[in-house]
Amino acid sequence: VMENYKKGKNIEEELSKDKIPIEILPENFLWMHCKGGTQVNNVIDFAEKALKSGDYRSMVWSGSGGGVPKTISCAEIMKRNNPELQQVTRVAYQK
């Protein structure tokens, strides 16, 4: 009976800036995507430099898998270091 079945594959599509599953996004934003191997200090330094340079007024943090806790940590660190920032939280998932 098992000869009628095939083993399936899990194919994960890589998230890109133009495919962020959120309806309303700022016009010009810095997109920071955390993965499991992301170094928090490195992305925080990069994001703070980009914010201070004036190139961006908004940033979007996203994460998947093991990067979700790092994404939350990065957003909290950015808010603590920059009290003028405001947080808007959106949760989305892909199947």
Side-chain angles (χ1 to χ4, degrees):
V1 178
M2 290 301 286
E3 66 265 2
N4 295 331
Y5 293 95
K6 267 171 119 174
K7 185 173 180 175
K9 293 181 184 178
N10 287 335
I11 300 172
E12 189 171 333
E13 183 181 342
E14 193 71 29
L15 186 63
S16 62
K17 186 174 181 177
D18 59 333
K19 292 185 178 180
I20 295 175
I22 299 173
E23 300 84 34
I24 302 170
L25 287 168
E27 283 186 25
N28 182 25
F29 66 92
L30 174 64
W31 178 48
M32 302 296 294
H33 183 72
C34 294
K35 297 181 181 180
T38 299
Q39 296 291 318
V40 173
N41 289 336
N42 292 345
V43 293
I44 290 296
D45 288 345
F46 180 84
E48 286 190 340
K49 286 176 187 172
L51 195 62
K52 287 179 182 165
S53 73
D55 293 338
Y56 301 99
R57 294 191 62 223
S58 304
M59 65 178 60
V60 173
W61 289 88
S62 64
S64 58
V68 172
K70 291 182 181 192
T71 303
I72 295 167
S73 296
C74 289
E76 294 299 325
I77 292 168
M78 289 298 294
K79 286 192 320 185
R80 186 181 30 185
N81 294 347
N82 304 283
E84 71 278 2
L85 290 180
Q86 296 178 1
Q87 179 176 343
V88 177
T89 303
R90 300 282 184 264
V91 177
Y93 70 93
Q94 290 182 316
K95 246 182 172 179

